């Protein structure tokens, strides 16, 4: 029966198991409206089970809130106590703290966790339908128990109105209320019995709920960690992700999971971590390894025996004369060449042979693209322009420019990483294009000493005329050429074209070894 407002009375208690303020619930509603996957999951569960949308909201809030609080069972509406038990077991799961490190404050990651928990929750709901049916019966019994009292009150009000119209002695309050209140006691007892039965059913189901919650949490931890690692591998920072709209972030995650190089995300991440470690080890203006004694005028490297001359007045003039002539005895050292200032250019071979796999099933293409992306990081860290040149045959070339003073859109980075031209191999065109870009930078911005990294798995010839022009460009612009021969043992051999062209050349035979290129990230 409806109450005086015309609405069916609702059961007492909260319908949400996680205490949250209105703003947090707005975050859930907004995300729910944006996520087709969440809406589809909610519709699927709601078609078979009651109150499941509330359960999904609670699971989201438990993962999202900075300090979630699960309400006590006594605070809950009887029909939602099952939801409360599920969320309490999720929060008590061993992996829940690890999950929240990925999801707290991040609505997208919290929604991803809910979707990852869905298989375990779906199975749990199917197995525990009688438990929720018992809870619903208890809720209905409690509502029914409240109806006689409300009916009696309505009858009394009607009787009072009649008495006012006919006279005070026409009826009595006892006569009006007594018959209506008679069923109240049996209805209340039935409600108590139904609630006791619901509590017993829920207690019996608790071990199964606990096991399902642990499975759901472990799955959510795995999925959220994998996506976070995938984003890090592709250089997408946490701050950038937080600013990214939900739909855009979902599309990006899907593209990263399904793209051509998706299976090599771990390799890409290892390269970037290795490069970051090499940057941390680099010491600017280091003197390097001591290898002997030389002559010069660098007072920071003067031998103690020379400095001793300054302690004798009669030898100070000798010290001054030798300093002026650059003949002081100095420690000699062998250090690493100073990093360039111009652009970093990665020329990456994308000929058909780069499809070939090496150890661990890693393709030559995957290794070279991972190295190139780490070079992109290196350039941006040093505030240098980066250019990726993909090449194969002489008529196939594609250039991707990433200026240091502008953001590097992840979509453009992915396009660079996933583009594959196919065909044969020609060094001349990509190296000429790289030299032309460095010449443009030198002429417009007066920046020289750029670095070119040629990554290839093949050997090809160059003309004598091209070689002369190449050497002239190198002399004018002062750039360096590093060579990486990937899975091609003959390319870096003595007397090869690569050996003649490159300042620094190494063969890469083990494609699982990212440290084979480590010194590049100290030199570039």
């Amino acid at each position: 029966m409806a109450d005086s407002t015309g609405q069916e009375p609702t059961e007492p208690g909260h319908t949400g198991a996680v205490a949250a303020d209105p703003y947090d619930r707005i975050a859930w509603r907004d995300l729910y409206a944006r996520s087709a996957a969440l809406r589809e999951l909610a519709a699927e569960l709601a078609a078979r089970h009651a109150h499941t949308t509330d359960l999904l909201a609670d699971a989201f809030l438990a993962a999202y809130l900075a300090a979630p609080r699960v309400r006590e069972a006594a605070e809950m509406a009887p029909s939602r106590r099952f939801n409360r038990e599920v969320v309490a077991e999720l929060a008590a799961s061993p992996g829940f703290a690890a999950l929240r490190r990925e999801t707290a404050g991040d609505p997208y990651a919290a929604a991803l966790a809910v979707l990852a928990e869905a298989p375990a929750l779906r199975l749990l709901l199917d197995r525990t339908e009688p438990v929720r049916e018992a809870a619903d019966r208890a809720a209905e019994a409690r509502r029914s128990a409240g109806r006689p009292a409300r009916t009696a009150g309505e009858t009394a009000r009607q009787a009072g109105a009649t008495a006012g119209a006919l006279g005070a002695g026409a009826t009595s309050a006892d006569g009006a209320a007594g018959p209506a209140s008679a069923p109240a006691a049996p209805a209340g007892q039935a409600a108590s019995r139904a609630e006791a039965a619901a509590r017993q059913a829920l207690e019996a189901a608790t071990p199964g709920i606990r096991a399902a919650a642990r499975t759901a949490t472990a799955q959510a931890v795995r999925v959220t960690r994998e996506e976070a690692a995938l984003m890090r591998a592709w250089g997408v920072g946490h701050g950038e992700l937080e600013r990214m709209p939900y739909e855009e972030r979902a599309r990006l995650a899907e593209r990263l999971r399904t793209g051509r190089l998706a299976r090599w995300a771990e390799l890409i991440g290892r390269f970037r971590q290795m490069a970051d470690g090499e940057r941390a080890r680099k010491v600017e203006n280091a003197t390097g390894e001591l290898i002997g004694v030389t002559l010069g005028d660098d007072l920071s490297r003067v031998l103690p025996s020379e400095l001793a001359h300054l302690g004798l007045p009669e030898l100070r003039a000798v010290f001054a004369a030798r300093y002026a002539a650059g003949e002081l005895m100095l420690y000699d050292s062998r250090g690493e060449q100073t990093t360039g200032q111009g652009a970093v250019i990665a020329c990456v071979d994308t000929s058909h042979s780069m499809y070939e796999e090496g150890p661990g099933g890693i393709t030559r293409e995957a290794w070279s693209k991972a190295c190139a992306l780490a070079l992109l990081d290196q350039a941006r860290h040093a505030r240098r322009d980066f250019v990726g040149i993909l090449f194969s045959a002489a008529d196939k070339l594609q250039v991707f420019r990433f200026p240091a003073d502008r953001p590097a859109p992840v979509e453009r980075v992915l396009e660079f990483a996933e583009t594959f031209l196919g065909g044969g191999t020609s060094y001349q065109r990509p190296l000429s294009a790289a030299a032309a870009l460095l010449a443009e930078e030198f002429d417009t911005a007066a920046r020289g000493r750029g670095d070119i990294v040629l990554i290839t798995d093949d050997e090809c010839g160059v003309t004598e005329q091209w070689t002369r022009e190449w050497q002239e460009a190198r002399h004018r612009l002062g750039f360096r050429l590093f060579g990486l021969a990937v899975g091609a043992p003959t390319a870096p051999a003595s007397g090869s074209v690569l050996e003649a062209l490159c300042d620094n050349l190494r063969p890469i035979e083990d494609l699982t070894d990212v440290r084979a290129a480590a010194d590049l990230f100290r030199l570039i």
Side-chain angles (χ1 to χ4, degrees), residues 274-287:
M274 180 270 294
D276 187 60
E278 293 301 323
R279 283 195 296 272
R281 290 175 55 194
K282 183 188 291 188
V283 179
E284 300 295 338
N285 303 315
T287 57

PDB file of all heavy atoms in Angstrom, residues 274-287:
ATOM      1  N   MET A 274      66.225   1.369 -19.188  1.00  0.00           N
ATOM      2  CA  MET A 274      67.678   1.315 -19.307  1.00  0.00           C
ATOM      3  C   MET A 274      68.241   2.689 -19.676  1.00  0.00           C
ATOM      4  O   MET A 274      69.227   3.145 -19.088  1.00  0.00           O
ATOM      5  CB  MET A 274      68.079   0.281 -20.363  1.00  0.00           C
ATOM      6  CG  MET A 274      69.569   0.133 -20.591  1.00  0.00           C
ATOM      7  SD  MET A 274      70.207   1.241 -21.878  1.00  0.00           S
ATOM      8  CE  MET A 274      69.387   0.585 -23.336  1.00  0.00           C
ATOM      9  N   ALA A 275      67.608   3.360 -20.627  1.00  0.00           N
ATOM     10  CA  ALA A 275      68.080   4.684 -21.030  1.00  0.00           C
ATOM     11  C   ALA A 275      67.991   5.667 -19.873  1.00  0.00           C
ATOM     12  O   ALA A 275      68.887   6.491 -19.662  1.00  0.00           O
ATOM     13  CB  ALA A 275      67.267   5.191 -22.223  1.00  0.00           C
ATOM     14  N   ASP A 276      66.907   5.565 -19.099  1.00  0.00           N
ATOM     15  CA  ASP A 276      66.753   6.443 -17.937  1.00  0.00           C
ATOM     16  C   ASP A 276      67.857   6.178 -16.915  1.00  0.00           C
ATOM     17  O   ASP A 276      68.400   7.110 -16.312  1.00  0.00           O
ATOM     18  CB  ASP A 276      65.383   6.215 -17.308  1.00  0.00           C
ATOM     19  CG  ASP A 276      65.084   7.211 -16.199  1.00  0.00           C
ATOM     20  OD1 ASP A 276      65.062   8.415 -16.484  1.00  0.00           O
ATOM     21  OD2 ASP A 276      64.881   6.776 -15.064  1.00  0.00           O
ATOM     22  N   GLY A 277      68.200   4.909 -16.728  1.00  0.00           N
ATOM     23  CA  GLY A 277      69.290   4.576 -15.813  1.00  0.00           C
ATOM     24  C   GLY A 277      70.624   5.107 -16.285  1.00  0.00           C
ATOM     25  O   GLY A 277      71.448   5.576 -15.483  1.00  0.00           O
ATOM     26  N   GLU A 278      70.870   5.051 -17.591  1.00  0.00           N
ATOM     27  CA  GLU A 278      72.132   5.579 -18.124  1.00  0.00           C
ATOM     28  C   GLU A 278      72.200   7.094 -17.972  1.00  0.00           C
ATOM     29  O   GLU A 278      73.269   7.647 -17.704  1.00  0.00           O
ATOM     30  CB  GLU A 278      72.281   5.188 -19.605  1.00  0.00           C
ATOM     31  CG  GLU A 278      72.448   3.699 -19.839  1.00  0.00           C
ATOM     32  CD  GLU A 278      73.667   3.146 -19.131  1.00  0.00           C
ATOM     33  OE1 GLU A 278      74.709   3.849 -19.074  1.00  0.00           O
ATOM     34  OE2 GLU A 278      73.588   2.025 -18.601  1.00  0.00           O
ATOM     35  N   ARG A 279      71.057   7.766 -18.102  1.00  0.00           N
ATOM     36  CA  ARG A 279      71.051   9.210 -17.876  1.00  0.00           C
ATOM     37  C   ARG A 279      71.402   9.525 -16.423  1.00  0.00           C
ATOM     38  O   ARG A 279      72.115  10.491 -16.130  1.00  0.00           O
ATOM     39  CB  ARG A 279      69.679   9.805 -18.213  1.00  0.00           C
ATOM     40  CG  ARG A 279      69.415   9.976 -19.677  1.00  0.00           C
ATOM     41  CD  ARG A 279      68.221  10.878 -19.924  1.00  0.00           C
ATOM     42  NE  ARG A 279      66.989  10.326 -19.410  1.00  0.00           N
ATOM     43  CZ  ARG A 279      66.195   9.516 -20.097  1.00  0.00           C
ATOM     44  NH1 ARG A 279      66.525   9.165 -21.321  1.00  0.00           N
ATOM     45  NH2 ARG A 279      65.062   9.057 -19.567  1.00  0.00           N
ATOM     46  N   ALA A 280      70.895   8.703 -15.518  1.00  0.00           N
ATOM     47  CA  ALA A 280      71.176   8.936 -14.103  1.00  0.00           C
ATOM     48  C   ALA A 280      72.654   8.729 -13.782  1.00  0.00           C
ATOM     49  O   ALA A 280      73.207   9.379 -12.893  1.00  0.00           O
ATOM     50  CB  ALA A 280      70.324   8.004 -13.235  1.00  0.00           C
ATOM     51  N   ARG A 281      73.291   7.830 -14.527  1.00  0.00           N
ATOM     52  CA  ARG A 281      74.705   7.547 -14.277  1.00  0.00           C
ATOM     53  C   ARG A 281      75.618   8.583 -14.904  1.00  0.00           C
ATOM     54  O   ARG A 281      76.761   8.741 -14.495  1.00  0.00           O
ATOM     55  CB  ARG A 281      75.080   6.174 -14.863  1.00  0.00           C
ATOM     56  CG  ARG A 281      74.472   5.005 -14.126  1.00  0.00           C
ATOM     57  CD  ARG A 281      74.804   3.715 -14.838  1.00  0.00           C
ATOM     58  NE  ARG A 281      76.240   3.570 -15.024  1.00  0.00           N
ATOM     59  CZ  ARG A 281      76.797   2.685 -15.851  1.00  0.00           C
ATOM     60  NH1 ARG A 281      76.035   1.907 -16.574  1.00  0.00           N
ATOM     61  NH2 ARG A 281      78.100   2.600 -15.952  1.00  0.00           N
ATOM     62  N   LYS A 282      75.127   9.297 -15.908  1.00  0.00           N
ATOM     63  CA  LYS A 282      75.975  10.251 -16.627  1.00  0.00           C
ATOM     64  C   LYS A 282      76.342  11.423 -15.719  1.00  0.00           C
ATOM     65  O   LYS A 282      75.504  11.983 -15.033  1.00  0.00           O
ATOM     66  CB  LYS A 282      75.251  10.783 -17.871  1.00  0.00           C
ATOM     67  CG  LYS A 282      76.105  11.726 -18.707  1.00  0.00           C
ATOM     68  CD  LYS A 282      75.293  12.364 -19.809  1.00  0.00           C
ATOM     69  CE  LYS A 282      74.890  11.365 -20.861  1.00  0.00           C
ATOM     70  NZ  LYS A 282      74.271  12.044 -22.015  1.00  0.00           N
ATOM     71  N   VAL A 283      77.606  11.807 -15.725  1.00  0.00           N
ATOM     72  CA  VAL A 283      78.089  12.951 -14.957  1.00  0.00           C
ATOM     73  C   VAL A 283      78.609  13.985 -15.942  1.00  0.00           C
ATOM     74  O   VAL A 283      79.544  13.725 -16.701  1.00  0.00           O
ATOM     75  CB  VAL A 283      79.215  12.553 -13.976  1.00  0.00           C
ATOM     76  CG1 VAL A 283      79.706  13.771 -13.220  1.00  0.00           C
ATOM     77  CG2 VAL A 283      78.726  11.485 -13.009  1.00  0.00           C
ATOM     78  N   GLU A 284      77.977  15.134 -15.964  1.00  0.00           N
ATOM     79  CA  GLU A 284      78.400  16.182 -16.890  1.00  0.00           C
ATOM     80  C   GLU A 284      79.782  16.707 -16.512  1.00  0.00           C
ATOM     81  O   GLU A 284      80.101  16.848 -15.339  1.00  0.00           O
ATOM     82  CB  GLU A 284      77.394  17.339 -16.891  1.00  0.00           C
ATOM     83  CG  GLU A 284      75.995  16.922 -17.316  1.00  0.00           C
ATOM     84  CD  GLU A 284      75.924  16.454 -18.747  1.00  0.00           C
ATOM     85  OE1 GLU A 284      76.821  16.839 -19.525  1.00  0.00           O
ATOM     86  OE2 GLU A 284      74.996  15.708 -19.094  1.00  0.00           O
ATOM     87  N   ASN A 285      80.588  17.000 -17.531  1.00  0.00           N
ATOM     88  CA  ASN A 285      81.926  17.575 -17.363  1.00  0.00           C
ATOM     89  C   ASN A 285      82.856  16.678 -16.538  1.00  0.00           C
ATOM     90  O   ASN A 285      83.744  17.144 -15.832  1.00  0.00           O
ATOM     91  CB  ASN A 285      81.852  18.960 -16.693  1.00  0.00           C
ATOM     92  CG  ASN A 285      80.990  19.917 -17.477  1.00  0.00           C
ATOM     93  OD1 ASN A 285      81.102  19.994 -18.702  1.00  0.00           O
ATOM     94  ND2 ASN A 285      80.118  20.637 -16.787  1.00  0.00           N
ATOM     95  N   ALA A 286      82.623  15.354 -16.586  1.00  0.00           N
ATOM     96  CA  ALA A 286      83.481  14.432 -15.847  1.00  0.00           C
ATOM     97  C   ALA A 286      84.847  14.350 -16.516  1.00  0.00           C
ATOM     98  O   ALA A 286      84.985  14.452 -17.728  1.00  0.00           O
ATOM     99  CB  ALA A 286      82.837  13.051 -15.793  1.00  0.00           C
ATOM    100  N   THR A 287      85.889  14.122 -15.698  1.00  0.00           N
ATOM    101  CA  THR A 287      87.240  14.037 -16.248  1.00  0.00           C
ATOM    102  C   THR A 287      87.519  12.674 -16.837  1.00  0.00           C
ATOM    103  O   THR A 287      88.433  12.527 -17.629  1.00  0.00           O
ATOM    104  CB  THR A 287      88.269  14.323 -15.148  1.00  0.00           C
ATOM    105  OG1 THR A 287      88.056  13.398 -14.080  1.00  0.00           O
ATOM    106  CG2 THR A 287      88.120  15.739 -14.629  1.00  0.00           C
TER     107      THR A 287
END
